[in-house]
Amino acid sequence: MPSLEAPELHIRTDSGIVRVTPPTTTTIGRGADCDVVVADLRVSRRHLTVVYAQGDGWVVTDPGSVAGTFRGVERATRFVVESRLTLRLGDAESGPVVEFSVVTPMPTEDAAALSAVTVGRGADNDIVLPELFVSRHHADLRQVTTETWEVRDLGSHDGTYVDGRRVTSEIVTVGQDVVIGRSWLRATRGGWQVISRTGRPVLEAVGVSAILPSGQKILDDVSFSLDEGRLMAVVGTTGSGKSTLLKTLTGFRPPEVGEILVNGMNLYDDFAQLGRRIGYVPQDDILHPQLTMRRALDYAAELRFPADVNREERRHRVDEVMDELGLSDRANVPIERLSGGQRKRTSVAMELLTKPALLLLDEPTSGLDPGYEKAVMDLLRQLADGGRVVVVVTHSVQSLDLCDEVLFLAPGGRTAFSGPPAGALEFFDQSQYASVFQELETASPDRWAGGRQRRPSTRTIDSRWHDAMAGDAQGAPASPVAWWSQASTLSRRHLAILAADRRNLAYLAAEVLIPALLILALVGKSSFAPTPDTGARAARTLLGALAVSAAAVGAANSVREVVKELPVYYRERAVGLSRSAYLVSKAAVLGALTAIQVAILVFIATRGSGGPATSVWPGSPLLELIVDLALGGIAAMCLGLLISATVSSSEKAMALIPVVFIVMWLFSGMAVDLQSKPVMRILGYTTSANWSMSMAASSSSLYHIEDDALSLQSPPPVVATGQPAIPRDARWNPGMGNWMVGTIALIVLAAAALAAADWVLARKEPFARRSRRLNGGMKRRLLGALRPN
């Protein structure tokens, strides 16, 4: 007869179910070291203790909490769980609920005793993790033996991780951790415990050094550690490595020596898992100023949350963040009309949507007056008090007393002081922080060789050697949002930006109407229906002007689109944005815009000529001409995206528009005879205006129009026998074959430009630079790993 084990206890909180078995002693409270964490300020750090006592069974004890424990309205300090018990902590009516239930186990030899646990965001799961990054039904945990469990991911968007690896199915042993969302689940013999991560600091920098290819150090052996709820300011003189340190902490620049640990895991080894736990607010606003705050946050939530997070849930999270930052009353105000401090709060709100455990800010008070500066620092203090780690790079020292830690960096990236702000002035033997900056500038670098800093424990040399040999860094984390959904969201956001910017709409209208009216006035009359007064080249001039104008319009539409929002793009890439979805959304919206503009251009410019009379395809000749020229404009638009991805500023991009116009004009075939210049003719095949001109000429039977015009001249032109009066390109002859070749050529040009833009962006991204730096600096990393501490 198989024996029965002691009854198992199930403890349910908002975080899910924890199963405990005798003789386990379980603690419940707000403290990170408790077995069951209840994150509510009314809950004491160690609020309850749960033990199994022979004779009494499971006993819950309140060892002296401040606000008390209640069963109904009764406050007590000792409770016996007979079958089921419901308690409220801290308040009899509204305090967080903890439910206890006793489960009598099956005989240990019976296979039915093995457990099955579901984990997810939905309330029907055994372990409920109320995070928007967690899928409704995220993972299934099935006990295989008393010592092992099988972890199966249920097709979640954000993934299930074991030992830093994303897994679909994995066998784990008792004591091993599984990471889902931002929660750690530890396997036990009786079930799973939602735990606080091993008591390790949230953020550790261990002997971090950054070294340029020349060998110059820009960070020199920087170390610190921060627990949850801490606010640290990084201050120092120009050239002291503050921005480099921040890039290192965000995962954008790996240190050549040392490591960055987040909850005890190496940031660069596990970036796919850790990347979305880090919020980063760069110095430049990562905002689209034309949008209202609410719309900007709505689009950000769409891009960052999984597809099974519905609109109502996203909206609720946006409202929560705006309320937390005091922005609710400005929700429907365009960002460009917000004050500097409010814009910075909006940038912070973007990052808080995903509830990051670590928030990093680069000069958030730059350009703000002292009042706004104080307000921003007060905000960061509040955010840290909410359980986050906040690191801020700043030049301002008036609010350093709000910080828990301050890190002073000396020139060369060496730590001069690391510790509480109250000890800094004493350490530097100064009465004010301005004098500290002067001393940092003027003192010898050796002055800080023994700079005061708190060094976290480092790994062993063997482990660091293993990390150095681990290979390439991981790239951007995989997105929780499907590719097509990203492209749709980005396209809708782009359309909203276009619609909200009335000044830009006026510019878009002017860039079409002005050339259309000029073409109509100068060359548009009777070009397709020649008269004795019409020149033989009139139709060629009209089509060439339209082809070049369409290309110029397309390039002008896109030439600033990427470079003007690179800070936004880089940040969204860091949280999983697909580069191809980004470029495709740009091409889709700008391609549609270009096509509409070209249609208006052609319709107006051909009014005086009556429009073309022939076409390759059955149907409207005017519509076919619009298609011919719109394809050329779209190909030029893709070229503009490539230019925009390549240059470093909007000004440089706009400076290239005249170059694009001149190249398109020269190679269109309208202005210069390319048939007598073989090399130039072949180069012309790489331009969209050349191909759209050939398609337009084929569609409108340009050579027939020119022949008719020549026959009307008196006297007719004298030419060599068998030679045309005007040089001709065989691709311009009317026919389906020539039209199809032109269409294919323009599609290839557009695709090649988009592919090249994708390659350029991939090379410019911090992730690519990070990988190249890791590979190129392997020798330095190995030497650093072996160097004694």
Side-chain angles (χ1 to χ4, degrees), residues 17-20 32-35 117 119 127 141 149 151 161 172-180 183-200 263:
I17 295 177
V18 174
R19 293 171 166 81
V20 293
D33 57 340
C34 289
D35 300 306
V117 178
V119 184
I127 299 179
L141 314 174
W149 291 75
V151 177
Y161 294 85
V172 300
T173 59
V174 168
Q176 200 168 0
D177 293 346
V178 174
V179 181
I180 296 177
S183 300
W184 279 265
L185 284 71
R186 177 163 294 170
T188 69
R189 288 184 177 86
W192 290 81
Q193 292 181 323
V194 182
I195 63 169
S196 175
R197 175 61 178 171
T198 66
R200 292 295 300 266
N263 289 118

Side-chain angles (χ1 to χ4, degrees), residues 571-708:
R571 183 61 198 130
E572 291 177 345
R573 274 289 288 159
V575 294
L577 175 68
S578 165
R579 187 171 54 250
S580 60
Y582 173 80
L583 287 172
V584 167
S585 71
K586 290 291 185 186
V589 173
L590 295 174
L593 172 65
T594 300
I596 293 171
Q597 289 176 300
V598 170
I600 295 171
L601 172 72
V602 174
F603 182 80
I604 295 175
T606 59
R607 286 307 83 201
S609 64
T614 63
S615 62
V616 169
W617 292 90
S620 168
L622 181 63
L623 179 59
E624 184 173 308
L625 180 61
I626 290 173
V627 171
D628 299 340
L629 299 171
L631 286 174
I634 291 171
M637 177 274 299
C638 294
L639 174 64
L641 287 176
L642 171 58
I643 294 171
S644 190
T646 304
V647 298
S648 58
S649 69
S650 295
E651 292 75 15
K652 292 179 180 178
M654 292 304 296
L656 291 174
I657 285 294
V659 178
V660 173
F661 178 83
I662 292 171
V663 170
M664 294 293 179
W665 176 66
L666 290 174
F667 286 104
S668 66
M670 175 262 293
V672 178
D673 173 21
L674 298 177
Q675 302 311 302
S676 60
K677 302 175 176 62
V679 175
M680 293 296 104
R681 184 175 71 247
I682 294 173
L683 286 176
Y685 296 161
T686 64
T687 65
S688 59
N690 182 283
W691 287 104
S692 61
M693 175 67 183
S694 73
M695 291 175 65
S698 178
S699 292
S700 59
S701 298
L702 174 63
Y703 288 155
H704 294 163
I705 296 173
E706 290 183 339
D707 288 342
D708 291 343

Side-chain angles (χ1 to χ4, degrees), residues 203-211 217-226 232-237 239-262 267-268 278 280 358-362 390-394 405-410 412-418 453 773:
L203 176 65
E204 296 176 86
V206 184
V208 170
S209 294
I211 307 171
K217 284 189 176 181
I218 49 179
L219 283 178
D220 189 359
D221 196 25
V222 176
S223 296
F224 60 83
S225 65
L226 295 171
M232 184 177 82
V234 180
V235 295
T237 60
S240 59
K242 301 186 299 298
S243 295
T244 300
L245 176 61
L246 201 66
K247 290 177 182 177
T248 299
L249 298 178
T250 55
F252 286 170
R253 189 200 189 284
E256 279 74 16
V257 179
E259 56 192 349
I260 305 297
L261 305 178
V262 177
L267 174 61
Y268 290 91
I278 300 173
Y280 172 52
L358 175 58
L359 182 62
L360 308 169
L361 304 97
D362 189 5
V390 180
V391 178
V392 55
V393 170
T394 181
E405 304 277 337
V406 60
L407 173 65
F408 277 96
L409 292 178
R414 182 170 291 179
T415 300
F417 174 85
S418 178
Q453 58 178 311
R773 184 177 291 112

Side-chain angles (χ1 to χ4, degrees), residues 702-723:
L702 174 63
Y703 288 155
H704 294 163
I705 296 173
E706 290 183 339
D707 288 342
D708 291 343
L710 289 172
S711 68
L712 294 174
Q713 293 184 16
S714 182
V718 178
V719 296
T721 303
Q723 296 296 321

Side-chain angles (χ1 to χ4, degrees), residues 146 200 241 274 510 521 524 542 788:
T146 56
R200 292 295 300 266
L274 299 173
L542 173 61

Side-chain angles (χ1 to χ4, degrees), residues 147 175 222 341 460 472 537 544 590 653 692 701 741:
E147 296 293 329
V222 176
T460 64
D472 295 342
R537 291 179 177 268
L590 295 174
S692 61
S701 298
V741 168

Side-chain angles (χ1 to χ4, degrees), residues 503-521:
R503 181 177 300 178
N504 187 56
L505 288 176
Y507 168 78
L508 294 174
E511 76 175 4
V512 172
L513 293 176
I514 292 174
L517 293 172
L518 288 174
I519 293 171
L520 175 63

